Amino acid sequence: MEIIHSDVLVIGGGLAGLRAALAARKRGREVIVLSLVPPKRSHSAAAQGGMQASLANAARGAGDNEDVHFEDTVRGSDWGCDQEVARMFAHVAPKAVRELAAWGVPWNRVEAGARTAIVDGKPVVIEENAAAHGLITARDFGGTRQWRTCYVADGTGHAMLYTVSDQSIAAGIPVHERREAVALIHDGERCHGAIVRDLTNGRLSAYVARATCIASGGFGRLYQVTTNAVINEGIGAAIALDTGVVPLANMEAVQFHPTAIFPAGILVTEGCRGDGGLLRDVDGHRFMPDYEPEKKELASRDVVSRRMEAHIRAGKGVAHPYGEHLWLDITLLGAAHIERKLREVKEISQYFLGIDPARQWIPVRPAQHYSMGGIRTDAHGAARGLKGLFACGEAACWDLHGFNRLGGNSVAETVVSGMIVGEAIADFCATPAGELTVSTALIRRCFERAQAEFTGLAESRGKENAALLLREMQATMTARVGIVRHGDALHTAVDTLQGLLRRSQDLGLRSSRPGANPELTQAWRLRKMLKLALCVAWGALQRTESRGAHFREDFPRRNDADWLKRTLATWPDPELTLPALAYEALDVTRMELPPGWRGYGARDAIEHPLTTARQAEVDAIRARLAGADRHTVQDALLPFRDLLPPHLRGANARLGDPA
């Protein structure tokens, strides 16, 4: 048994994992990063549209600040987020984007003078401030009141990932590629690292660390049609679930992106609509103003996706051999704009559809895109249930996004949470609790348990085919646990998924050869993915309300009285076919922004009994501090700076601030 030691083990080589690794390394900690693929091939590279940060440099971003970004985030979450975390995030995001600029991310910049942009389907002349010339600019995105999304054309994630990866190389952080964490080393109270499988030769080894951070991304491949990469199977969250003591939170909160190309499901950035693109139906009619007359195509993603599906149901979809779709029209932006700022969209359209989006409309339909749920952590990224375990990025439920995230907030979260969590990991390692005291007997038990699992699978000769079960799971999730949900369909999904989990105990493999064995890898991952799917479906069935991306046709109202709480799913017994669910109430009495109306559809929510009283307290504090600066008011409503590392607590400078 090979044992590899480090202060910090980071599972995941995307933006969140690399940024957390950098933060810990800069504090003097030895760090090892595990990655399924070379880091620059991580799914973070697929982020196109941009990163939200309230810089307020662009003319259409004038007046933006942390308060506005915070409120947009809370409303976007449908009041499901942790407002302390949302405050921390909005405060650090401008620092993160400027740090990335210093590292070399080539953000698009303000060009002084008049320019023409498409706004609400019409050309509008925008006069950019001469004082802002050369500063980082921003584009419009859904669910925001200001143009706040900093971008690098439509390759933002690519530029960010390459830059952060280069920084990690410069810092001397080793990345062990093509390695998969298959189990956590733990005693039920403390995490001591992970058992890791080398995908090139099938060998297992033990990575022992003072602190372990899971930053392995989302679980989009639970669904048949997803914008996620093939590596996004949720295994990081699954091995945390396998401990029996670490809860996954809000797993039913799954986001569907409105514009995935049809039928492939490849992402077409929200930047298309932010830059002025329109959604059209079979008749060429621009239909979103009929549903959302104020925000139109730039309503929150959950709202746009539901409106698109409703429009298709109403008979306005475009017929296609693989189903129905709608159109995304960016022809009005012009070829020059597309070539300069949406080049990746142009190439995707050409390679996968054979069309020129400057002249032809793009066929689109919503597809699974993001998981708001994940490993439940505190504000510093420490996971519940096991000391020494941390999580950040999409693998975590930090909980910044609640039940719906705003576009541009996720790629921002990767670097912001990485900065904060990496510092917290370094702090933990410096405490007595961070001392590494683990017996080799425990390491060997965990190692032998994982080895036995793979050996048993390799030698199994049952009648079930892992690939077929996987496809049935994905089809079930897409058909019955999708954008629009209903109790009957969810019951059927849960029953089907339980049946698949039972059948997965009788797998038959055609090859038991050692070394790289994709069939064995798929069979092992299948059982983990089925458990994650059951956390999603079972949680969705129990949540009898509609909130953000979780929409129940049979319970269409948001119910703050009964459901203003997070779902916590654990799997205490490996023989069970359902997770155990518990709930964590959100504290209305501490909210800076008490529950209210998001601004979409009717004002139709069941109010929490404490909302009115808390709103009165907020109003009284604001009245008492009338005339005070906004920072003083905010601190009286919800103090948060003490949760941040000292070097991140300072105020953000903006154009026009007093010297």
Side-chain angles (χ1 to χ4, degrees), residues 239-319:
I239 63 173
L241 183 67
D242 274 351
T243 65
V245 295
V246 175
L248 306 184
N250 288 350
M251 290 293 282
E252 65 268 35
V254 179
Q255 183 175 86
F256 292 78
H257 196 288
T259 55
I261 66 169
F262 187 85
I266 299 169
L267 176 67
V268 175
T269 175
E270 189 164 318
C272 289
R273 287 173 287 128
D275 288 1
L278 308 177
L279 291 169
R280 300 187 185 276
D281 62 18
V282 66
D283 302 319
H285 172 62
R286 181 190 179 193
F287 59 88
M288 275 305 298
D290 302 340
Y291 296 104
E292 299 296 338
E294 181 179 346
K295 293 297 289 183
K296 306 177 181 70
E297 283 84 0
L298 290 174
S300 279
R301 286 178 176 175
D302 60 316
V303 176
V304 177
S305 293
R306 280 197 297 276
R307 297 306 193 191
M308 291 174 70
E309 289 299 307
H311 205 60
I312 289 172
R313 285 187 181 190
K316 293 298 183 179
V318 181

Side-chain angles (χ1 to χ4, degrees), residues 424-487:
I425 290 170
D427 289 341
F428 173 80
C429 289
T431 66
E435 291 296 325
L436 189 59
T437 53
V438 56
S439 72
T440 54
L442 173 63
I443 298 170
R444 184 165 293 281
R445 280 199 306 273
C446 294
F447 180 90
E448 290 176 349
R449 189 182 305 123
Q451 186 73 69
E453 187 176 5
F454 279 96
T455 300
L457 266 175
E459 296 175 352
S460 62
R461 293 296 179 266
K463 64 178 186 296
E464 298 291 352
N465 182 297
L468 294 179
L469 296 188
L470 180 68
R471 285 200 288 272
E472 189 170 346
M473 175 198 73
Q474 292 169 331
T476 297
M477 293 296 289
T478 292
R480 303 188 185 281
V481 198
I483 298 170
V484 178
R485 300 168 176 178
H486 191 282

Side-chain angles (χ1 to χ4, degrees), residues 653-659:
R654 290 184 178 82
L655 194 67
D657 284 352

